[in-house]
Amino acid sequence: MDFIKIDISGPVAVITIDRRDALNALSPQVLDELSQALDEVNTEGIRAVIMTGAGKKAFAAGADIKEFPSFTPLQAQDFALKGQALSKKIEAFPKPVIAAINGFALGGGCELALACHMRIAAETAKIGQPEVNLGVMTGFGGSQRLPRLVGKGVALELLTTGRAIDAKEALRIGLVNAVAAPDELLPACQEIAEQIAEKAPQAVALTLEAVNHGLEMSLEEGLNLEARLFALTFTTEDMQEGTQAFLEKRKPKFTGK
Ligand code: COA
């Protein structure tokens, strides 16, 4: 892979977009490599993933604008579908994916972060959907995921003005879960990832499924789904181990089985 680095330390994988001369802009090749990287870290030993950008300046400054002028409408649609497929793959990933937003997360970069299960921003981050400045609109899911995360009114303001917000505002509107000093960003994400890594992997994966699918359903259907997934956890060895460990007043040793 030319633009993606994978660093594995114990149960945590860090996927880094490394195309610094273009502020980690998302060309079709970068999107393909990100998808490949997710496949590579979808192994039993990995329990959580951190996604970030190389350098101090950008998480990803958006889709690669240099590709745009030559696109036909059909090529533009294919590009949007490629970005959306990657966003869906991140969202449906069976291990939590944490976006470590280390700088600009604009356009497609913001949309990738929105597809992650949680977001932590450096104090220096700038986040936004500036597509309207270019005469285009979001294509990787921003018009759908941003309102679901921050509410329709705030999302529409950001989407129609193209205004980029700082980390403090992102925290206030619920776009990010927490803000960290730039040097503390990866350690903060690592700490969350390690907490997750200590839990029962299937219970974590089923929780992701319940929340992701449940939010697209009526409350009644979502509650039904939850009851069925709750029942599924009772088929796992980890459920026996977790409850037994509690009763024996010891720390559980989860195996993912
Ligand atoms: N696509 C392609 N290249 C990009 C890019 C993008 N989305 N964002 C930045 N780059 C490139 C620049 O063209 C520049 O390349 P060059 O050195 O070959 O000219 C390099 O990255 C550095 O960017 P530059 O604009 O010089 O940095 P800056 O610090 O002055 O500004 C930004 C940073 C993020 C404000 C500015 O790059 C920007 O507005 N980028 C586009 C953001 C955007 O609209 N994204 C949505 C796309 S749909």
Side-chain angles (χ1 to χ4, degrees):
M1 288 192 283
D2 297 327
F3 300 122
I4 303 296
K5 280 193 327 202
I6 302 174
D7 295 291
I8 293 176
S9 115
V12 181
V14 180
I15 296 179
T16 306
I17 307 165
D18 192 353
R19 195 185 166 211
R20 290 174 218 220
D21 57 348
L23 298 186
N24 304 326
L26 306 167
S27 62
Q29 185 181 346
V30 174
L31 296 178
D32 284 339
E33 290 186 9
L34 269 171
S35 176
Q36 189 187 329
L38 285 169
D39 290 336
E40 285 184 24
V41 302
N42 194 5
T43 61
E44 213 176 291
I46 299 297
R47 303 278 174 90
V49 175
I50 297 169
M51 192 174 282
T52 194
K56 290 202 182 304
K57 211 168 157 186
F59 174 77
D64 192 333
I65 300 170
K66 286 175 188 148
E67 308 258 342
F68 283 10
S70 64
F71 275 170
T72 64
L74 272 181
Q75 285 169 324
Q77 178 173 283
D78 284 346
F79 185 59
L81 290 173
K82 189 189 253 299
Q84 288 182 8
L86 176 64
S87 302
K88 284 192 256 183
K89 189 166 180 170
I90 295 169
E91 200 164 54
F93 204 65
K95 300 134 199 297
V97 183
I98 305 167
I101 305 175
N102 55 310
F104 290 113
L106 300 174
C110 180
E111 289 166 299
L112 271 197
L114 290 171
C116 292
H117 300 117
M118 52 199 104
R119 287 147 291 281
I120 313 294
E123 285 160 349
T124 48
K126 285 270 183 203
I127 305 171
Q129 300 284 173
E131 287 85 352
V132 287
N133 294 323
L134 301 167
V136 295
M137 62 169 287
T138 52
F140 293 178
S143 68
Q144 304 306 305
R145 290 196 180 89
L146 190 60
R148 282 169 168 77
L149 189 63
V150 303
K152 186 175 168 185
V154 175
L156 277 173
E157 184 212 320
L158 295 178
L159 291 164
T160 57
T161 61
R163 181 168 71 86
I165 58 174
D166 61 18
K168 223 177 182 176
E169 187 171 355
L171 181 64
R172 183 175 61 73
I173 65 173
L175 204 163
V176 301
N177 297 34
V179 175
D183 290 344
E184 291 303 311
L185 177 65
L186 279 180
C189 293
Q190 197 81 31
E191 197 180 317
I192 298 171
E194 279 163 16
Q195 277 180 35
I196 293 167
E198 286 178 4
K199 312 302 176 214
Q202 296 199 61
V204 169
L206 293 171
T207 300
L208 293 176
E209 197 178 324
V211 173
N212 278 336
H213 291 287
L215 279 176
E216 306 307 317
M217 296 171 170
S218 69
L219 178 63
E220 199 53 39
E221 288 166 332
L223 290 172
N224 238 315
L225 173 68
E226 184 185 68
R228 281 185 275 118
L229 296 177
F230 176 70
L232 258 187
T233 62
F234 283 68
T235 65
T236 65
E237 288 175 17
D238 278 345
M239 173 270 176
Q240 293 297 338
E241 166 63 10
T243 49
Q244 214 48 49
F246 174 80
L247 297 173
E248 291 166 13
K249 300 190 188 303
R250 62 174 172 82
K251 226 177 148 206
K253 272 201 197 119
F254 293 122
T255 60
K257 299 213 163 57

